[in-house]
């Protein structure tokens, strides 16, 4: 019952947050000053579903010339006015922009399909409408959006070869890798999405069943869940996306508690098209938020530059810049890399020696924080979740620490845990945390990730390999890194039977360690 109470609380917070943000956008958009022309229209989507949309035209667009087209599907739970400020800016620079409310939300018809085939088909229908009803150029079409709009844009580019450029902002490429990584339900993230869609939309019965099976930890439905998620993941169609050739910009936040950075980075490496990857501090969609209000914003600036180059042919240099751009959580500047592999090319290991046993079912005090709130605090004030490492109860938490570093360590990329685990039960969950520990023992969270196992033989050891969520964090000189492992975190559903214990060991022929990706000074 505790999991469901947490889910309901998160649902309520998510619904209220979405309503407030959406209201802010609606309240601000009409005040924006622009010379472009906005029309609100109905567009017939797949199967006759009516999609509420707005089309923003450049001033003086009278049909005597063609303009590049940008299509922007709305975010999860947001109304059709979400992109009006950015649409007006883009139209003023010579684009036709069509923003539309995705099916199932607000006044659009249909039901929420979670980026199913109907949503992909809708995107093509919107393009068809724009080509038939505006002076849009059929050979210069872009698509983009935040969150849900980002995911739909990637999927659409894999299915519609007319799309030449994509800006996927705070989205996903692997839906299962996002909310079910480590075979563990990311319950607070799922409950937020669920709650927002209940308040602002109408769920398809299949979607409702998927959420219910997810919360219930129904292993009999696990493969069905995975298959459902793959159908809605651009990673499934990466070969087709590469064949179609759309230039892809992907941007996300290090602390995204809905769509973690790892799944974007993995997908980026599989792309062979012109591509760019950007990571910044923040949580889900917070890096883009100020741009929706017309304020200066790096994400939207690069989005316009991306479209300018690949839709207009503008020589603005974005194609000559290092394609991987990272803004660390603890410093102000950007770092450029030739590819994602180069980010964590140098690695240092922390040995996890000895044998340690912990008892399950109790939160040790180490956790990943609160969905949205914790990473936003880290974004605006560099205050991540914290824990007093010396005070963590060793009955419920395993702790290993590095030596004190004489010089700063710039952690960049994906830390990897390797250990040998012996359970007393056939199922279980562990959560690994990497902390920056100061001289007084206060640990600041650098990264974390969950791991769940099923159908293991009690008392029989097995190897565990776990990638923590990717990050960029500077550990000051005089500090240490600590790896903490416990079994309970409010962000996740845990699968530890009553009385379960987990023993971590480091055999001589297979030593345990955590591998830290670092950038040399």
């Amino acid at each position: 019952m505790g999991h469901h109470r947490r889910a309901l609380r998160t649902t309520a917070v998510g619904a209220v947050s979405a309503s407030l943000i959406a209201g802010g956008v609606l309240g601000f958009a009409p005040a924006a000053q622009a010379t472009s022309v906005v029309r609100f229209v109905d567009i017939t989507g797949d199967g006759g579903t009516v999609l509420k949309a707005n089309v923003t035209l450049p001033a003086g667009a009278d049909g005597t010339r063609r303009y590049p087209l940008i299509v922007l599907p709305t975010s999860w739970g947001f109304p059709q006015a979400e992109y009006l400020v950015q649409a007006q800016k883009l139209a003023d620079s010579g684009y036709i922009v069509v923003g539309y409310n995705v099916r199932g939300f607000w006044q659009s018809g249909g039901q929420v399909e979670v980026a199913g085939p109907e949503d992909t088909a809708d995107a093509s229908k919107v393009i068809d409408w724009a080509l038939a009803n505006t002076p849009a150029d059929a050979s210069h079409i872009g698509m983009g959006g935040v969150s849900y709009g980002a995911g739909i844009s990637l999927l659409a580019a894999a299915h519609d070869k007319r799309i030449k450029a994509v800006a996927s902002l705070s989205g996903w490429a692997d839906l299962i890798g996002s909310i079910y990584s480590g075979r563990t339900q990311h319950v607070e993230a799922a409950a937020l999405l669920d709650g927002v869609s209940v308040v602002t939309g109408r769920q398809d019965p299949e979607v409702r069943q998927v959420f219910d099976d997810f919360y219930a930890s129904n292993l009999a439905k696990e493969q069905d869940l995975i298959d459902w998620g793959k159908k809605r993941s651009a990673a499934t169609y990466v070969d087709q996306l590469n064949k179609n050739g759309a230039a892809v910009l992907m941007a996300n936040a290090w602390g995204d508690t809905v769509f973690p950075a790892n799944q974007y980075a993995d997908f980026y490496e599989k792309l062979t098209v012109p591509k760019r990857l950007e990571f910044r501090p923040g949580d889900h969609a917070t890096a883009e938020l100020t741009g929706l209000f017309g304020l200066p914003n790096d994400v939207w600036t690069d989005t316009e530059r991306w479209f300018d180059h690949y839709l207009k042919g503008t020589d603005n240099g974005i194609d000559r810049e290092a394609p991987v751009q990272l803004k660390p959580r603890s410093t102000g500047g950007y770092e450029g890399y030739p590819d994602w592999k180069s980010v964590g090319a140098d690695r240092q290991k922390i040995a996890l020696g000895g044998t340690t046993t912990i008892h399950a079912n109790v939160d040790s005090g180490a956790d990943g924080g609160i969905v949205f709130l914790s990473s936003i605090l880290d974004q605006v004030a560099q205050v991540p979740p914290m824990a007093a490492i010396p005070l963590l109860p060793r009955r419920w938490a395993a702790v290993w620490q590095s030596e004190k570093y004489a010089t700063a360590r710039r952690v960049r990329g994906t830390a990897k845990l390797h250990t040998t685990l012996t359970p007393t039960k056939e199922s279980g969950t562990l959560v690994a945390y990497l902390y920056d520990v100061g001289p007084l023992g206060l640990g600041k969270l650098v990264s974390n990730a969950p791991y769940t196992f099923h159908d293991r033989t009690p008392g029989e050891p097995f190897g565990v390999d776990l990638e923590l969520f990717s990050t960029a964090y500077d550990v000051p000189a005089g500090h240490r890194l600590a790896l903490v492992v416990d079994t309970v975190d409010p962000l996740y559903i845990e699968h530890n039977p009553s009385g379960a214990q987990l023993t971590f060991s480091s055999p001589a022929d297979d030593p345990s360690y955590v591998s830290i990706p670092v950038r040399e000074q």
Side-chain angles (χ1 to χ4, degrees), residues 397-409:
V399 180
W400 298 268
Q401 296 192 74
S402 72
E403 76 282 1
K404 187 181 297 184
Y405 294 125
T407 58
R409 290 292 188 275

Side-chain angles (χ1 to χ4, degrees), residues 11 76 103-106 108-114 148 189-213 215 228 232:
T11 294
W76 185 269
R103 65 170 53 223
F105 285 104
W106 295 87
S108 283
Q111 296 177 315
V112 177
E113 304 285 348
V114 191
Y148 197 37
L192 187 146
L193 297 174
D194 185 9
V196 170
S197 65
V198 167
V199 172
T200 64
R202 301 164 302 282
Q203 290 181 351
D204 176 85
E206 181 187 23
V207 171
R208 179 68 264 153
Q209 188 62 53
V210 166
F211 275 118
D212 291 342
D213 291 339
Y215 297 139
W228 179 87
R232 291 159 169 81

Side-chain angles (χ1 to χ4, degrees), residues 272-499:
T272 58
V273 297
K275 58 185 180 178
R276 182 178 173 98
L277 180 67
E278 301 181 352
F279 285 131
R280 299 173 174 85
D283 205 309
H284 183 61
T286 62
E288 299 87 0
L289 185 60
T290 57
L292 297 178
F293 294 88
L295 300 175
N297 183 278
D298 290 353
V299 185
W300 287 105
T301 295
D302 285 349
T303 293
E304 185 169 354
R305 294 176 65 220
W306 191 256
F307 285 141
D308 283 350
H309 182 74
Y310 288 102
L311 297 182
K312 289 182 177 179
T314 304
D315 185 13
N316 54 20
I318 196 167
D319 58 318
R320 297 188 294 275
E321 296 172 0
V324 175
Q325 294 286 323
L326 310 182
K327 187 173 185 180
R329 292 161 50 195
S330 42
T331 60
Y334 284 89
E335 299 171 356
Y337 298 84
D339 51 40
W340 177 252
K341 294 188 294 292
S342 299
V343 173
D346 299 312
R347 306 191 74 90
Q348 299 175 355
K349 288 184 178 180
I350 300 173
L352 309 180
T355 299
T356 302
T357 298
I358 61 174
H359 295 251
N361 306 116
V362 175
D363 189 340
S364 70
D367 62 55
I370 301 171
V371 66
F372 274 114
L373 178 60
S374 296
S375 292
I376 291 174
L377 286 173
D378 188 35
Q379 176 184 358
V380 301
Q382 287 77 55
V383 182
M386 299 183 187
I389 304 303
L391 301 182
L392 292 176
R394 276 18 180 204
R395 178 180 177 85
W396 297 298
V399 180
W400 298 268
Q401 296 192 74
S402 72
E403 76 282 1
K404 187 181 297 184
Y405 294 125
T407 58
R409 290 292 188 275
R410 295 189 286 180
V411 179
R412 300 289 187 272
T414 308
K416 299 178 181 180
L417 167 65
H418 173 75
T419 189
T420 296
L421 174 62
T422 305
T424 59
K425 305 290 184 179
E426 70 284 351
S427 297
T429 297
L430 62 89
V431 185
Y433 310 90
L434 187 66
Y435 283 99
D436 160 25
V437 184
L440 299 180
L442 183 64
K444 295 182 178 181
L445 187 66
V446 177
S447 184
N448 76 292
Y451 178 91
T452 293
F453 60 90
H454 297 287
D455 302 321
R456 289 289 178 176
T457 302
E460 184 174 306
F462 63 94
V464 171
D465 289 285
L466 175 62
E467 289 191 349
L468 278 63
F469 300 138
S470 303
T471 194
Y473 182 96
D474 292 343
V475 180
H479 287 213
R480 309 172 187 266
L481 281 172
L483 182 79
V484 177
V485 178
D486 71 2
T487 63
V488 176
D489 190 309
L491 289 173
Y492 313 112
I493 290 180
E494 50 92 4
H495 299 266
N496 296 295
S498 179

